[in-house]
C-alpha cells in the first residue's frame, strides 16, 4: 500500500471586493413534518464522507453543502475527462483537473462554514480509521472493489451508508441505505450476483512484481444521461435527510428503485446474504492513546481485555508489516523481528556482511500473532520499529479493537 496521499482541507475562496455574507443553511430549511425542531442544528453537526464525486456523487456533495453540514470529505482519485461534461455537473474548464479538489472548492464556496476536505485517493488508501469519525457515508462509484471496501469499513464502525447508482440502458436509479446496526446487517456485496463477481475479476489485475498486490483497473465509464445521474443524486440526498433527521418510516436497510420506463418507484428490504464473501466484522474503538508507540502489544491486549499470551490474539500496525527475517549476502536468512514500513523493501544492515537485509514477502506479516511475536510482545512499539504507529488493530478471534493515536488525517 502506498503512503497515504494527503487529504487537504479546502480554504474559502477569496472574493474580489471583500467577502459576501454567506446565508445560513436554515434560511430555506422547511419545517419537515414530524421532523426534529432542531433540524438545522442537527444538519450543522453532521459529518459526511463521500466516496466517488463523479456524475452522481459530485451532485450529492453540492446538495449536502447547501444543508450547511459540519464537515464533508470528498474522496476520488480521478480527474475529469472531456466526456465528463456529458454527465457531470461541471464547468468545461474543469476538464483535466481532479474531481475531489474542484468539487470540494465548489462546496466550500457554497458553505464556507462547512469544513471541506478533498482526497485524491482510492478508498483502499485511506487511513484505516478514516470512517470512524464520520456520521454517515455516501457511496457513488462504479468500482466494485471500492464498493466492497466501503461496505466493509462501514460495517466495522457501524456507519449508515447511502449508495446511489444508475443503470442508463433501463433508465433506472437505485439508492440503497445500509444501516449497519450490527454484523448481521447487509452490505453492498451481499447483493452481488455472478455478473458482479465476474466483473470484479475483470476490474482487478494482479500485479506481477511479486508483491501480490491487486491493482484495480479503471472501471468502465458510466453510460447514462446527465438527468438520470442527477435524479440518483437527488434521491440519495433525500435518503440522507431521512436518516439524519429520522424523517418518516426508517429507510435503513432498504433499496429505493425508480424506473424511467414505467415511471414507478419501488422500495424493498435489503437482507444479509449468509454466503456473502465480504468481511462483516464490527470493530470496537478504544479511547485514544496519546503515546501509542510507547505501548507494547501486550499492554494493548490487556487494555482490550484480551489474553496477551493467547495464541488467538493477533495484531496489525497500520502502515507496517512484521518482518520475521530477510536475506543479505550471507547464505542464511537474517532474523529481523520488527515492524517495517509497508513500502520499504529493506530492514537494516547485516552485522556480518554489512549489506542491506532485503525483506522477503513470505517472512512478512500484515497480521502477526502473539505466538509469533513471542517476547517482543512485551516491548514498546517504538522499540519494535513502529515509532510512527497511528493505528493498531487487535483481535482475539471473536472481537476486534482499534487503538488510535491522534493524527492529522482524522475527520475533524
Ligand atoms: Zn455482505
Ligand atoms: Zn549478511
Amino acid at each position: 500500500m502506498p503512503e497515504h496521499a494527503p487529504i487537504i482541507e479546502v480554504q474559502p475562496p477569496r472574493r474580489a471586493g471583500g467577502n459576501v455574507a454567506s446565508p445560513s443553511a436554515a434560511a430555506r430549511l422547511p419545517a419537515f413534518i414530524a421532523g426534529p425542531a432542531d433540524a438545522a442544528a442537527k444538519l450543522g453537526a453532521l459529518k459526511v464522507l463521500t466516496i466517488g464525486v463523479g456524475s452522481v456523487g459530485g451532485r450529492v456533495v453540492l446538495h449536502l453543502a447547501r444543508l450547511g453540514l459540519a464537515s464533508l470529505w470528498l474522496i476520488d482519485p480521478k480527474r475529469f475527462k472531456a466526456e465528463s461534461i456529458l454527465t457531470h455537473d461541471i464547468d468545461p474548464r474543469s476538464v483535466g483537473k481532479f474531481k475531489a479538489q474542484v468539487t470540494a472548492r465548489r462546496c466550500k464556496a457554497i458553505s464556507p462554514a462547512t469544513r471541506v476536505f478533498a482526497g485524491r485517493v482510492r478508498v483502499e488508501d485511506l487511513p484505516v480509521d478514516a470512517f470512524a469519525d464520520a456520521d454517515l457515508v455516501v457511496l457513488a462509484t462504479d468500482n466494485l472493489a471500492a464498493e466492497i471496501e466501503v461496505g466493509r469499513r462501514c460495517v466495522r464502525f457501524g456507519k449508515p451508508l447511502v449508495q446511489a447508482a444508475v443503470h442508463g440502458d433501463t433508465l433506472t436509479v437505485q439508492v440503497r441505505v445500509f444501516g449497519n446496526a450490527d454484523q448481521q446487517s447487509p452490505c453492498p456485496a451481499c447483493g452481488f450476483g455472478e455478473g458482479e463477481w465476474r466483473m470484479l475479476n475483470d476490474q482487478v489485475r494482479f500485479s506481477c512484481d511479486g508483491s501480490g498486490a491487486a491493482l484495480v483497473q479503471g472501471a468502465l465509464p458510466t453510460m447514462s444521461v446527465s438527468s438520470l445521474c442527477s435524479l440518483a443524486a437527488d434521491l440519495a440526498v433525500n435518503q440522507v435527510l431521512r436518516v439524519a433527521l429520522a424523517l418518516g418510516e426508517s429507510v435503513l436497510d432498504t433499496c429505493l428503485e425508480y424506473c424511467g420506463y414505467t415511471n414507478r418507484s419501488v422500495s424493498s428490504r435489503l437482507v444479509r446474504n449468509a454466503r456473502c464473501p465480504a468481511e462483516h466484522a464490527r470493530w470496537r474503538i478504544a479511547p485514544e492513546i496519546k503515546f501509542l508507540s510507547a505501548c507494547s502489544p501486550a499492554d494493548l491486549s490487556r487494555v482490550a481485555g484480551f489474553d496477551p499470551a493467547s495464541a488467538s490474539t493477533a495484531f496489525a500496525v497500520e502502515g507496517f508489516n512484521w518482518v520475521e527475517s530477510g536475506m543479505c549476502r550471507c547464505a542464511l536468512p537474517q532474523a529481523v523481528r520488527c515492524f517495517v514500513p509497508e513500502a520499504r523493501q529493506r530492514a537494516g544492515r547485516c552485522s556480518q556482511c554489512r549489506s542491506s537485509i532485503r525483506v522477503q514477502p513470505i517472512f512478512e506479516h500484515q497480521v502477526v500473532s502473539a505466538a509469533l511475536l513471542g517476547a517482543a510482545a512485551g516491548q514498546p512499539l517504538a522499540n519494535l520499529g513502529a515509532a510512527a504507529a497511528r493505528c493498531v488493530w487487535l483481535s482475539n478471534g471473536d472481537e476486534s479493537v482499534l487503538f488510535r493515536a491522534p493524527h492529522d488525517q482524522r475527520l475533524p
Side-chain angles (χ1 to χ4, degrees):
M1 194 171 82
E3 273 286 286
H4 295 312
I7 291 161
I8 293 159
E9 178 161 15
V10 175
Q11 298 309 313
R14 259 171 292 167
R15 291 194 178 92
N19 277 344
V20 180
S22 300
S24 150
R28 290 290 182 273
L29 203 64
F32 298 113
I33 291 173
D38 58 344
K42 279 202 158 68
L43 293 171
L46 200 67
K47 302 167 179 179
V48 176
L49 181 55
T50 301
I51 308 295
V53 287
S55 56
V56 177
R59 289 176 164 105
V60 168
V61 290
L62 291 173
H63 282 314
L64 294 178
R66 293 187 176 100
L67 295 171
L69 305 193
S71 47
L72 264 174
W73 265 29
L74 280 58
I75 306 299
D76 198 312
K78 288 188 269 178
R79 296 170 189 264
F80 292 116
K81 290 185 281 202
E83 292 80 7
S84 301
I85 296 169
L86 305 174
T87 51
H88 293 53
D89 178 4
I90 54 162
D91 185 309
R93 282 172 296 186
S94 299
V95 170
K97 296 182 182 160
F98 280 103
K99 295 183 179 186
Q101 272 168 324
V102 170
T103 316
R105 264 185 240 122
R106 286 181 71 190
C107 291
K108 188 70 184 178
I110 291 168
S111 180
T114 301
R115 296 191 68 181
V116 184
F117 298 83
R120 293 169 2 197
V121 288
R122 307 179 315 154
V123 61
E124 293 89 338
D125 297 330
L126 286 175
V128 68
D129 62 334
F131 284 37
D133 301 304
D135 297 311
L136 192 144
V137 178
V138 174
L139 169 62
T141 161
D142 282 345
N143 187 308
L144 296 173
E147 282 183 29
I148 296 174
E149 181 63 17
V150 170
R152 173 163 43 205
R153 289 179 181 235
C154 287
V155 175
R156 282 177 186 165
F157 300 113
K159 302 299 175 184
L161 168 64
V162 176
Q163 179 188 18
V166 294
H167 189 248
D169 301 1
T170 56
L171 287 176
T172 300
V173 164
Q174 279 185 339
V175 180
R176 295 183 181 85
V177 183
F178 301 93
N180 290 316
D182 55 43
Q183 304 184 53
Q184 291 313 309
S185 302
C187 85
C190 281
F192 281 12
E194 223 176 275
E196 275 95 353
W197 290 114
R198 206 176 318 116
M199 204 192 298
L200 179 68
N201 260 335
D202 295 344
Q203 282 180 10
V204 176
R205 174 167 57 89
F206 288 93
S207 140
C208 302
D209 62 4
S211 68
L215 302 174
V216 176
Q217 298 276 60
L220 290 173
T222 309
M223 301 303 280
S224 179
V225 288
S226 179
S227 56
L228 200 66
C229 301
S230 162
L231 182 60
D234 292 352
L235 291 174
V237 175
N238 197 63
Q239 298 295 60
V240 170
L241 281 170
R242 294 276 299 269
V243 173
L245 302 176
L247 301 179
E249 227 177 276
S250 169
V251 291
L252 300 179
D253 297 330
T254 65
C255 174
L256 168 66
E257 186 172 286
Y258 170 84
C259 174
Y261 274 96
T262 59
N263 274 332
R264 271 207 294 221
S265 61
V266 179
S267 179
S268 53
R269 282 219 75 74
L270 293 168
V271 287
R272 166 88 151 91
N273 174 357
R275 295 195 303 183
C276 174
E279 177 198 88
H280 283 245
R282 176 60 54 87
W283 291 4
R284 180 154 56 89
I285 302 177
E288 189 177 280
I289 297 181
K290 196 166 177 195
F291 300 104
L292 184 60
S293 64
C295 301
S296 70
D299 292 336
L300 296 175
S301 13
R302 276 187 290 268
V303 175
F306 299 164
D307 175 4
S310 161
S312 53
T313 306
F315 307 85
V317 180
E318 187 201 22
F320 291 85
N321 287 319
W322 175 259
V323 176
E324 260 307 287
S325 62
M327 291 301 281
C328 59
R329 289 217 194 92
C330 306
L332 295 169
Q334 294 292 323
V336 175
R337 295 192 49 74
C338 69
F339 290 102
V340 175
E342 272 172 344
R344 202 173 298 165
Q345 306 294 312
R346 291 170 204 287
R349 283 186 183 280
C350 168
S351 55
Q352 273 127 58
C353 71
R354 304 301 306 156
S355 72
S356 54
I357 300 175
R358 273 173 294 116
V359 171
Q360 288 189 300
I362 53 162
F363 297 116
E364 188 180 42
H365 309 269
Q366 205 166 44
V367 175
V368 57
S369 66
L372 197 59
L373 280 176
Q379 292 277 323
L381 290 168
N383 293 8
L384 298 172
R390 294 197 303 204
C391 292
V392 179
W393 169 90
L394 264 80
S395 168
N396 66 353
D398 298 322
E399 225 196 316
S400 292
V401 180
L402 187 72
F403 287 93
R404 309 199 283 171
H407 66 80
D408 58 0
Q409 295 290 294
R410 293 255 302 264
L411 183 67

